[in-house]
Amino acid sequence: MGKTSTSPPSPLSPTNWPASSFSITRSLALLAAVVATFLIAGFGVGTVFRALHLPLGTKTAPSEWTFIATVFIELPLVVLLLFALPRIANRTLGELGLHPIRFRDLGYALIGAIVMLASTAVVGAIEQSLFHFNVHENVISFFSKTEPRGWLITTALVAVIYGPVVEELMFRGFLFNAVLRYVPVWGAIVISGLIFAAAHFEDPTSFLPLAVTGVILARIYYQTGSLVTSMLTHGTFNFLSLSLYLATAATKHP
């Protein structure tokens, strides 16, 4: 089912897609496969880690092994998405936005990350003034609790490189495109942003800032047609956030 779009031309415009791209049946089947893969991988990794007596901690009090477990849990998702996306989209991974890094991708990533930092800061300030609570972006909250400090490099690498690759494949490459197939572009951007925030939900204070980051990343992906650009933007945002956290922590505790 095609649709007429009045938005600026984009490589992702559904008017240029095959009629069978992201059919409801195939999209729901892939979503079910993603959920099943995540649950099975989580159970398997948890079982192995417990057998090896490696402490996983909890969501609010992660251990040094939590991010390592996350890598093994999400790796099957990467494989699944790389295999399934071209089949439900009837487009190649290159047409969906996976390509070698280009110079323009780096420029978009830096500008996009700065816009994300500024936007989440504004939203956080508004929330704090209205509801009198401090907003903690999830990656910062997780990073600040990770012990021992020698594991922070591993944590940062996962947050800056691995995490953005997995999440952009899932939330932009799959979910955004699947929604875009049936609703106008700004509807798809907002809906996918809300789904992104809900998937990362830790406490009510983080929902709106996360939704804003999801909306900006979806907009960047649609504008450029490049998953590589959204991955780099996401990773740069996490890197700048962590750098600001470390600089602030060093100032408070020299």
Side-chain angles (χ1 to χ4, degrees):
M1 293 177 60
K3 67 181 179 66
T4 302
S5 174
T6 58
S7 56
S10 166
L12 303 175
S13 176
T15 57
N16 299 323
W17 295 358
S20 57
S21 294
F22 291 100
S23 69
I24 293 177
T25 302
R26 288 185 176 184
S27 296
L28 290 177
L30 179 54
L31 182 61
V34 166
V35 173
T37 299
F38 181 80
L39 293 176
I40 293 171
F43 176 79
V45 171
T47 300
V48 170
F49 272 54
R50 283 189 294 272
L52 296 175
H53 304 291
L54 300 175
L56 285 174
T58 65
K59 188 172 184 178
T60 56
S63 79
E64 62 270 24
W65 290 98
T66 305
F67 263 20
I68 302 300
T70 300
V71 170
F72 287 109
I73 291 171
E74 293 182 345
L75 187 58
L77 295 180
V78 175
V79 175
L80 171 63
L81 289 169
L82 290 176
F83 173 80
L85 272 176
R87 287 158 177 79
I88 71 166
N90 286 324
R91 306 176 84 202
T92 66
L93 288 173
E95 290 173 324
L96 289 170
L98 281 178
H99 53 74
I101 296 175
R102 304 166 300 194
F103 183 76
R104 59 170 286 189
D105 299 326
L106 302 176
Y108 266 108
L110 181 58
I111 295 172
I114 292 173
V115 171
M116 288 169 67
L117 280 176
S119 300
T120 53
V122 169
V123 171
I126 293 173
E127 284 193 327
Q128 186 170 357
S129 65
L130 292 177
F131 305 109
H132 307 291
F133 52 58
N134 292 321
V135 176
H136 298 285
E137 207 274 328
N138 279 27
V139 68
I140 297 299
S141 177
F142 198 105
F143 191 83
S144 65
K145 298 171 185 173
T146 304
E147 296 290 348
R149 307 304 282 181
W151 280 80
L152 294 183
I153 293 178
T154 301
T155 304
L157 288 175
V158 175
V160 172
I161 299 175
Y162 183 76
V165 170
V166 177
E167 293 182 358
E168 293 310 303
L169 279 172
M170 179 65 194
F171 293 102
R172 260 58 68 178
F174 171 37
L175 289 174
F176 170 76
N177 279 324
V179 176
L180 179 63
R181 191 71 180 87
Y182 301 99
V183 304
V185 58
W186 276 108
I189 287 173
V190 171
I191 291 171
S192 64
L194 293 174
I195 295 173
F196 178 75
H200 290 78
F201 187 81
E202 183 175 289
D203 62 76
T205 70
S206 64
F207 184 84
L208 282 179
L210 286 168
V212 168
T213 63
V215 164
I216 294 172
L217 286 168
R219 176 59 189 172
I220 288 172
Y221 175 47
Y222 183 79
Q223 182 68 35
T224 63
S226 170
L227 273 174
V228 171
T229 301
S230 64
M231 289 172 181
L232 288 171
T233 304
H234 195 155
T236 303
F237 170 72
N238 284 356
F239 173 77
L240 293 177
S241 299
L242 295 178
S243 298
L244 289 173
Y245 161 74
L246 288 176
T248 302
T251 302
K252 292 180 178 179
H253 306 285

